[in-house]
Amino acid sequence: MAGIVIIKVSLTVTTVISTETLAQEFGELALGMGSSLSDQVSRYARENKLGYYPALDFFKQNQGIDQELLDTAEHISWLICEWAQRQIRFQLREPFSHVQFDQVQSVAYSMPRVRPNMPRALELLSDHFTPDSVRLTVITSSIERSNVNLVGYEKLAVHKFRRWLDTVFESIEISDAHVIGD
């Protein structure tokens, strides 16, 4: 008689929420956040002759942008990260026996990959600071027969992850997936 095993797969995922969902769930404030932040961060970079745009965390310790705007951005980003986790957990309750989150970060709080001298820099910076993208490390668990072949099992987990979430998010990018041991 074959036993059962629990197979865990770690997935590093970036999800993007559609503009419509962002507006519906979080309102116009969330939609305009990227533009407001990019204007102030761009002005700060220009005034201080920086060759880069700092990450939003930089402004927690350094004055340079409106503190109330920064607090609002942090709160909205937190709400969006919570919403993404709830959606993932709810949607994946059937294909996986357990879903947990190891790391969760709003992409708006990562270092922008935009430089001031790039074409359309302000537009790209606004896109970066719009809180519609969440990067997560998700650990999924599946109950399988003990004789299941683990070679390539992460591909099955990626397939299930995408299949069950493709209607929830505008896009899902999976940059890493691997089976992890206990």
Side-chain angles (χ1 to χ4, degrees), residues 70-141:
L70 190 60
D71 291 344
T72 303
E74 187 170 10
H75 181 71
I76 288 174
S77 294
W78 180 84
L79 288 173
I80 292 170
C81 287
E82 288 293 311
W83 181 88
Q85 289 176 81
R86 259 192 332 275
Q87 293 300 314
I88 291 169
R89 188 172 277 121
F90 179 77
Q91 295 295 325
L92 297 182
R93 72 186 185 282
E94 282 188 49
F96 297 104
S97 61
H98 186 68
V99 175
Q100 74 183 65
F101 300 95
D102 191 32
Q103 295 178 346
V104 180
Q105 179 191 29
S106 173
V107 173
Y109 277 81
S110 64
M111 186 70 170
R113 294 181 179 168
V114 181
R115 298 288 177 251
N117 61 351
M118 291 173 68
R120 300 180 23 247
L122 197 56
E123 181 183 337
L124 294 170
L125 191 61
S126 177
D127 289 346
H128 176 79
F129 287 141
T130 299
D132 61 351
S133 301
V134 179
R135 186 173 300 123
L136 312 103
T137 301
V138 183
I139 299 172
T140 62
S141 300

Side-chain angles (χ1 to χ4, degrees), residues 14 37 43-44 49 53 60 74 78 106 121 141 144 158:
T14 302
L37 288 167
R43 180 180 40 77
Y44 179 87
K49 297 178 179 37
Y53 295 119
K60 286 182 180 178
E74 187 170 10
W78 180 84
S106 173
S141 300
E144 300 286 349
V158 166

